Amino acid sequence: MKNSRTVCACSPSVLMAAPLVAVENLVKHFPLKSGLLARDRRVVRAVDGVSFEIPERQTLALVGESGCGKTTLGRAVLRLHEPTAGHVRIAGTDVTALPPRELRAFRRHMQIIFQDPYASLNPRMRVGDIVAEPLLIHHLARDKRERADRVAELLSRVGLRAEATRRYPHEFSGGQRQRIGIARALAAMPRLIVADEPLSALDVSIQAQIVNLLSDLQRERGLTYLFISHDLKVVKHISEQVAVMYLGKIVESAPTGALFDHPRHPYTKALLAAVPVPDPERKRQRILLEGDVPSPVAPPPGCPFHPRCPLARDPRRQPRCQSEVPTLRPIGDGAHLSACHFAEEV
């Protein structure tokens, strides 16, 4: 685990320099159009008022169960999904306010590595053309020869041979295709990369190679990552800061070591309890969550986690948990934030 400086997500930066990424009250709702004459005005609250910061050259990991809004949040940060409300500032530029032409030019500074390395690559394009496309769009090479040299350099850096430029995506393994996706993301020389579960479609034997590659590239090129994952073992290795999402909201945020050692939200504690322990003799408290994640169309009143929360079953706590929405507030020294009324008791 890295020993770099950390910053509180959803709180003022503790660093002297401004963060590279600052997200403020970001909202993404998807309207439901169903019923007679499509008059149903309900919405899917995929992202519901999220704020965080990422210092330059660091990694914020975003974790949570499937369907909690992680991918939607990552795409909204890049405006691949148009935000419903809120602001995203990258290197001081309010991305949410950019008109289309300026946004297109700014995209070279923010790239994405997709979850499925096959679906994200055009099967009709050769690998050399796929990696060269950002160079063409953003005019980052003077001529065809320089473009070919840059493509060969990028492929070499991610562990692929030069002859890969003449082949098609289907001729490669899953791990190799993910390396192609990483090379394409690097081609535009971005400052921010959103890695959307880049390991979930890969064999376990390949995952460590990709993690090490991403870490090396961050050191070499000064990259900043928003790393979306459900694999807490990987998150512990690659990130300085972790934010835990539940039902479209961040419910806990802390430096990586603090979150793993002392989780301050019942949901985070349950996620960590589910991580397999390599030592069979080591005992860990099992935390069983009842029920399923509530629908983002009709979230429960009060704390969104209360229908499944062990603390909320206590009759003394139920009234507050069921009626009052907890805010994300500092615990202890302020670097650790939790959206639980009873975080001090967790």
Side-chain angles (χ1 to χ4, degrees):
M1 188 169 57
K2 304 174 184 177
N3 294 318
S4 303
R5 295 175 295 175
T6 55
V7 63
C8 305
C10 315
S11 69
S13 173
V14 297
L15 300 179
M16 294 300 292
L20 180 75
V21 181
V23 175
E24 181 182 353
N25 293 323
L26 192 64
V27 175
K28 179 57 184 177
H29 293 171
F30 294 97
L32 290 177
K33 296 182 179 180
S34 61
L36 183 64
L37 301 179
R39 289 178 178 174
D40 190 342
R41 296 185 179 181
R42 294 180 302 166
V43 296
V44 177
R45 299 174 179 271
V47 178
D48 205 16
V50 168
S51 301
F52 60 83
E53 295 179 355
I54 314 177
E56 192 166 12
R57 300 171 180 264
Q58 292 197 13
T59 299
L60 171 68
L62 194 63
V63 303
E65 293 172 286
S66 297
C68 71
K70 304 187 302 295
T71 292
T72 302
L73 174 57
R75 290 173 178 245
V77 166
L78 302 179
R79 274 187 68 180
L80 297 178
H81 288 320
E82 198 65 33
T84 304
H87 297 277
V88 177
R89 291 180 175 84
I90 298 176
T93 298
D94 189 348
V95 176
T96 51
L98 291 178
R101 179 173 292 185
E102 293 181 25
L103 176 62
R104 180 182 174 89
F106 193 81
R107 285 200 182 281
R108 62 162 292 194
H109 301 296
M110 51 181 194
Q111 293 290 304
I112 186 170
I113 301 170
F114 292 97
Q115 178 177 358
D116 187 337
Y118 187 73
S120 63
L121 302 176
N122 189 332
R124 298 187 178 185
M125 291 178 66
R126 297 181 189 272
V127 166
D129 295 329
I130 290 172
V131 178
E133 193 170 28
L135 303 175
L136 282 167
I137 292 173
H138 296 291
H139 310 290
L140 298 177
R142 289 172 294 182
D143 51 37
K144 187 175 180 180
R145 181 172 182 176
E146 181 179 349
R147 190 162 59 246
D149 290 343
R150 289 282 305 279
V151 169
E153 177 189 349
L154 287 164
L155 290 175
S156 174
R157 182 59 197 87
V158 300
L160 295 174
R161 297 179 179 178
E163 56 262 31
T165 58
R166 301 187 295 271
R167 298 164 64 187
Y168 291 91
H170 72 269
E171 300 179 63
F172 295 88
S173 68
Q176 290 173 323
R177 287 197 290 262
Q178 195 61 288
R179 291 174 186 269
I180 295 167
I182 293 171
R184 178 178 60 183
L186 292 174
M189 295 183 290
R191 300 180 67 181
L192 168 68
I193 290 182
V194 174
D196 182 13
E197 303 216 32
L199 311 177
S200 62
L202 306 180
D203 293 338
V204 174
S205 60
I206 304 299
Q207 290 180 2
Q209 299 176 21
I210 299 300
V211 168
N212 291 334
L213 174 61
L214 291 173
S215 297
D216 291 343
L217 290 170
Q218 183 176 44
R219 287 192 296 269
E220 294 171 11
R221 298 171 182 252
L223 297 170
T224 302
Y225 290 144
L226 174 59
F227 190 87
I228 300 169
S229 180
H230 62 271
D231 190 331
L232 292 171
K233 299 188 299 296
V234 172
V235 163
K236 187 175 183 179
H237 175 76
I238 201 171
S239 66
E240 288 87 10
Q241 186 86 10
V242 181
V244 182
M245 278 193 80
Y246 185 80
L247 208 62
K249 297 178 180 290
I250 290 180
V251 297
E252 184 165 8
S253 175
T256 304
L259 184 130
F260 277 81
D261 292 340
H262 302 288
R264 305 307 294 266
H265 193 283
Y267 178 60
T268 307
K269 199 168 183 178
L271 290 180
L272 293 175
V275 177
V277 179
D279 183 1
E281 299 297 325
R282 181 182 173 187
K283 294 183 179 180
R284 173 181 286 174
Q285 180 185 3
R286 295 296 302 273
I287 301 175
L288 299 177
L289 297 180
E290 297 182 354
D292 298 321
V293 179
S295 169
V297 178
C303 175
F305 187 58
H306 88 258
R308 308 174 70 196
C309 180
L311 293 180
R313 296 176 199 148
D314 187 331
R316 296 170 299 175
R317 300 187 181 105
Q318 279 182 357
R320 189 177 183 189
C321 294
Q322 294 178 2
S323 62
E324 184 180 338
V325 179
T327 58
L328 195 63
R329 59 188 177 88
I331 305 295
D333 62 1
H336 201 140
L337 297 96
S338 175
C340 176
H341 297 307
F342 306 100
E344 289 81 1
E345 303 176 29
V346 177

